[in-house]
Amino acid sequence: MAAGKLRVVEPGERAVPKSVTDAASFGTTRELLVATRDRIAQAVENPNTAPRDLAALTKRLMETQREIEAIDARDLKEAGQHAEVSDGAFDAAAI
């Protein structure tokens, strides 16, 4: 696990892996993709990254972002399908 300050996770809060290694070991697919995206973004921004690598890194960065967005869209759709719907008052005269 990454070194640093530790704290108690609050009720309802979820611990989120901060590194690619932690996400691969302990996280969800989305958390791994987010950690990977962030790591690739660091490489893209690094002035010491070889220019020949930038095109491949940028392409993979965009692909990873699309995968994250697809997971988020699927989760949002599933959440909507399982949403609680309250019944209104029954009005027999409406029939």
Side-chain angles (χ1 to χ4, degrees):
M1 175 93 40
K5 286 186 171 183
L6 299 178
R7 67 177 179 78
V8 175
V9 178
E10 299 295 326
E13 181 183 13
R14 195 160 173 244
V16 178
K18 299 296 183 191
S19 70
V20 174
T21 303
D22 287 346
S25 298
F26 309 109
T28 64
T29 300
R30 186 187 188 286
E31 290 166 339
L32 177 57
L33 286 168
V34 168
T36 301
R37 178 203 59 197
D38 294 347
R39 178 63 185 92
I40 294 169
Q42 289 174 359
V44 168
E45 290 181 338
N46 186 338
N48 295 323
T49 298
R52 71 175 182 275
D53 297 334
L54 284 176
L57 286 167
T58 302
K59 180 179 180 185
R60 186 63 190 133
L61 179 62
M62 297 305 296
E63 291 169 351
T64 304
Q65 182 60 32
R66 280 193 293 272
E67 290 176 43
I68 293 167
E69 290 170 356
I71 289 172
D72 290 347
R74 183 194 68 217
D75 290 348
L76 187 60
K77 182 179 178 183
E78 287 177 5
Q81 291 174 350
H82 301 290
E84 294 274 334
V85 178
S86 61
D87 292 332
F90 177 73
D91 180 8
I95 297 180

